Amino acid sequence: MSTKTCDAVIIGGGIMGVSTAFQLARRGLKQVAILEKGPHVASGSTGQSSAVVRLRYANLEVTRLAHWSLQMFQQWTERLELVENRSGFSPVGVVWIPGDEDDDPSRVLANFAEIGAAGEMAPTAELQRRYPALNLCRHPIDLAGKTHDCGAPAALFWEAESGYADPQGTTEDLLRAGQALGVELHARHEVTSIVSSKGGTFEVSCADGQRFSAGRLLNAAGPWCNRVNALLDVQLPMNMQPTRVQMAVRNRPQDVSGDIPVFISAGDQVYGRPEARGSQLLIGSVAAEDESERVEDPDDFDTNGSPEFRERMMHKLHHRFVMQSRGRVHGYAALYTVNTDDWHPIVDAVGPEGYFVANGFSGHGFKLGPSMGAMIARRMTDQALPDDPEVDVGYFAADRSPIHSSGGVLA
């Protein structure tokens, strides 16, 4: 079988790989090939993402990247030059509910003010009027059955313009925008070998026998990143661990009325949002014990939610919404690639010249997908565009000191 020559080959058709392909094409690369082992884009971690689009992070740089992505979601069809918008971006707002411990928002407020992002300490009474069904109680539920008098602080941190999106539709839109510039998707193309030549090119072979050659090669393989790195004997200096993370969904009963935001509760250690155009409620955990189930083989893990997890999440969801019936509940599990050193990705050139990695987004990468695509493409080409994010491309370097993080998927 003949070898297809490309300007760049990207391994992985999740949001990072597809966004990067689009941005490489914007920089003039004519032949960009995405090799995806699944049947379509977003068939791995991206498609199972809760797809929350929020800005609050422990550091300014990642907040800046999230804000850049939010602005792109707000101008989606214009920025991608599309007629139809499949991103499903819903700016329902994000409400951060603190726990019993004091929550000092001063640093977060300063970061938002510096970049001009919409974030404020909103009066609790105003938020209750805006989201009448959501219980803003700061106290955690006692799963042993002990009751408490619910109480909320006078004000809560609120991201008025943030929300959530459809991960499948978002990635498909990025692909369509890239295809208009010459990007090619090769689905069901599992990479089985990579040969690096002294001339600075890579020959990538797939399970079906097809071969691709390029001077630039990006590993954006998500939970399969270690497997791809091993094909070139590349060992990253930080630990990338495929990790199983569960979520639960139930139908939304009629007594849960009005608008529902994305909510993040420090006390209950959960986040939630509307799902299926508001007809369902999705809930996930940010507790450390629910972000620590390591998976050795990303092709072999339980995709179903456990009964124990579903039961625990439903108790916490009932703390947030008064629901007379339990309703129909189902759970599912996804794989994230957790960088156990600092919960942030490595985006850098490593190993043979021309080889790049974008690994370890640790469950909070979806919202960064649009901005990270531009950042990765800039790293791969040394070419900046006027509308690129204003974050140093070396921020996620492989040899960095660990980035300050709040830990876990919230980073």
Side-chain angles (χ1 to χ4, degrees):
M1 189 173 290
S2 62
T3 299
K4 181 175 179 61
T5 301
C6 306
D7 293 321
V9 168
I10 296 172
I11 302 174
I15 191 168
M16 295 303 164
V18 176
S19 180
T20 301
F22 166 63
Q23 290 290 345
L24 287 173
R26 290 187 68 218
R27 285 159 173 76
L29 274 66
K30 302 300 183 183
Q31 297 288 333
V32 179
I34 302 169
L35 308 183
E36 167 55 46
K37 72 188 294 290
H40 50 72
V41 295
S43 58
S45 299
T46 296
Q48 297 299 316
S49 170
S50 58
V52 170
V53 180
R54 48 95 181 174
L55 309 186
R56 181 173 177 170
Y57 276 91
N59 54 72
L60 174 63
E61 289 79 4
V62 188
T63 300
R64 192 184 298 278
L65 288 168
H67 186 231
W68 192 97
S69 291
L70 173 62
Q71 291 177 312
M72 188 164 175
F73 275 114
Q74 293 169 333
Q75 305 160 11
W76 194 248
T77 53
E78 295 86 349
R79 296 282 289 273
L80 296 184
E81 298 185 6
L82 297 174
V83 175
E84 182 183 2
N85 186 340
R86 300 179 187 173
S87 74
F89 176 60
S90 300
V92 296
V94 176
V95 177
W96 294 78
I97 307 170
D100 286 330
E101 297 181 0
D102 291 336
D103 177 39
D104 181 5
S106 57
R107 182 174 180 178
V108 174
L109 288 167
N111 286 346
F112 274 60
E114 180 166 338
I115 64 176
E120 62 179 287
M121 293 302 295
T124 298
E126 177 187 334
L127 293 175
Q128 202 67 82
R129 286 193 296 271
R130 191 177 290 270
Y131 310 114
L134 178 62
N135 179 10
L136 300 174
C137 175
R138 70 184 305 165
H139 307 307
I141 187 174
D142 186 333
L143 295 177
K146 184 179 179 180
T147 61
H148 65 259
D149 293 327
C150 285
L156 300 172
F157 189 74
W158 179 46
E159 301 181 23
E161 297 178 357
S162 301
Y164 66 95
D166 174 357
Q168 187 70 44
T170 296
T171 311
E172 289 175 355
D173 274 358
L174 288 165
L175 176 63
R176 287 194 297 148
Q179 287 173 326
L181 300 175
V183 171
E184 295 183 355
L185 171 67
H186 299 268
R188 302 185 190 277
H189 277 61
E190 180 176 2
V191 173
T192 54
S193 74
I194 305 172
V195 177
S196 172
S197 71
K198 293 182 179 179
T201 61
F202 299 90
E203 184 171 288
V204 182
S205 299
C206 298
D208 65 353
Q210 192 165 356
R211 296 189 300 271
F212 298 81
S213 177
R216 298 180 181 91
L217 177 63
L218 173 66
N219 176 357
W224 294 269
C225 66
N226 293 331
R227 186 179 298 175
V228 172
N229 285 329
L231 295 177
L232 284 169
D233 294 325
V234 168
Q235 179 67 49
L236 298 182
M238 294 181 173
N239 181 42
M240 302 295 161
Q241 181 62 59
T243 302
R244 179 176 178 267
V245 178
Q246 301 184 67
M247 282 156 276
V249 180
R250 66 150 289 166
N251 64 300
R252 176 179 174 175
Q254 292 183 350
D255 47 358
V256 176
S257 60
D259 293 337
I260 296 176
V262 175
F263 64 91
I264 300 166
S265 166
D268 282 335
Q269 295 185 296
V270 296
Y271 66 90
R273 67 164 177 81
E275 173 73 337
R277 299 182 180 179
S279 66
Q280 297 176 334
L281 301 173
L282 178 149
I283 186 168
S285 174
V286 297
E289 60 267 25
D290 292 320
E291 298 178 341
S292 59
E293 185 180 342
R294 307 311 185 209
V295 173
E296 294 303 319
D297 182 357
D299 289 317
D300 183 19
F301 74 100
D302 185 0
T303 60
N304 298 308
S306 71
E308 183 278 330
F309 181 84
R310 295 198 302 269
E311 183 77 9
R312 181 157 45 93
M313 290 301 104
M314 287 305 106
H315 280 298
K316 294 187 176 185
L317 191 63
H318 277 253
H319 182 215
R320 293 297 149 192
F321 299 97
V322 176
M323 295 180 281
Q324 300 302 317
S325 63
R326 293 182 63 85
R328 182 180 178 184
V329 180
H330 72 273
Y332 64 95
L335 278 189
Y336 298 148
T337 313
V338 171
N339 177 353
T340 60
D341 288 68
D342 67 5
W343 291 83
H344 288 286
I346 290 178
V347 175
D348 207 352
V350 298
E353 182 179 356
Y355 183 63
F356 301 86
V357 300
N359 301 155
F361 286 88
S362 304
H364 61 92
F366 173 82
K367 71 189 68 59
L368 304 177
S371 58
M372 289 302 301
M375 195 167 177
I376 298 164
R378 191 169 82 211
R379 181 68 183 86
M380 294 178 67
T381 62
D382 291 324
Q383 180 183 353
L385 297 182
D387 60 356
D388 278 353
E390 296 179 358
V391 175
D392 191 320
V393 293
Y395 187 72
F396 298 107
D399 61 355
R400 68 176 185 260
S401 298
I403 295 171
H404 172 64
S405 170
S406 59
V409 70
L410 296 180

